[in-house]
Amino acid sequence: MSEHESWTDARLLEAVTDGDRRALEVLYARHAPWLVIRLTRRCADPALVDEAVQDTFVAVWRTARTWKGKGEVAAWIWGIGIRRLLDQLRRRPAVPLPAYEQVMVSAEEQVLLGIEYGELGQAMGRLSPELRAVVQATVLDGLTTREAGRLLGIPAGTVKTRMMRAKALLREELV
């Protein structure tokens, strides 16, 4: 095990700001696998997902200084990753459908649009990054408490506590 592998994500990101390529390699090895899984839940095209993941880590390399040191590095990487995937999807040429076919928006797409642009999205935006990351991992991405804890680098009990706090705050906001 190299020295870098024992470092926290925050320390690795600091090293990336100083141009440490090995730190970026360790971040990639640590975070690319779960990022691929989460992005694949949003897009079935493996080529687009792979490109979004690569773009994500290029952005991490270029913009590591923009991380404010608040919240989890994994949540910051996820934010970059989902934006890169959306950019890929927007650039993809539209496929014309025959006139007789009607496009139906799936229930999941309607919920996700509501989360991003509706009252719930605004309320989510007011949560602290720590609480928002737990909600995104467990509710939006369907991870178990244990998986979310592993992803976010916190104990499963902390995931449960943060989720309870997030639910209470969202309930207040949305009533």
Side-chain angles (χ1 to χ4, degrees):
M1 183 160 113
S2 77
E3 176 186 6
H4 285 77
E5 292 171 5
S6 64
W7 290 0
T8 65
D9 287 347
R11 185 169 179 196
L12 287 167
L13 205 52
E14 286 177 31
V16 169
T17 65
D18 295 330
D20 186 337
R21 290 178 185 262
R22 180 67 186 131
L24 181 66
E25 290 172 10
V26 173
L27 276 174
Y28 183 88
R30 196 176 284 175
H31 295 285
W34 65 258
L35 186 59
V36 168
I37 291 168
R38 289 178 80 179
L39 293 177
T40 300
R41 290 181 181 160
R42 304 240 180 335
C43 175
D45 185 338
L48 285 179
V49 169
D50 287 344
E51 192 167 340
V53 171
Q54 293 305 314
D55 288 351
T56 297
F57 284 94
V58 168
V60 167
W61 177 256
R62 291 181 179 162
T63 65
R65 283 183 168 79
T66 65
W67 185 63
K68 307 277 190 252
K70 295 181 180 177
E72 299 293 332
V73 172
W76 181 73
I77 291 173
W78 168 246
I80 295 170
I82 192 64
R83 286 190 299 275
R84 293 299 183 261
L85 179 63
L86 291 172
D87 290 345
Q88 294 294 329
L89 291 170
R90 287 182 191 122
R91 281 189 230 130
R92 194 161 71 171
V95 178
L97 296 173
Y100 60 87
E101 289 188 34
Q102 291 186 358
V103 177
M104 297 293 292
V105 176
S106 72
E108 181 179 347
E109 286 174 304
Q110 289 176 349
V111 168
L112 289 174
L113 285 171
I115 290 170
E116 189 168 347
Y117 300 108
E119 288 179 31
L120 181 55
Q122 293 170 3
M124 289 272 297
R126 289 188 285 274
L127 291 176
S128 70
E130 295 84 9
L131 297 181
R132 189 170 46 250
V134 166
V135 173
Q136 287 173 335
T138 57
V139 177
L140 301 181
D141 295 327
L143 299 179
T144 65
T145 302
R146 181 177 291 145
E147 292 168 335
R150 222 174 301 131
L151 166 70
L152 300 171
I154 58 177
T158 303
V159 171
K160 291 177 184 177
T161 301
R162 289 182 182 177
M163 191 62 197
M164 285 182 1
R165 287 179 32 218
K167 283 180 181 179
L169 291 169
L170 289 171
R171 206 172 288 122
E172 278 180 28
E173 289 277 335
L174 296 172
V175 172

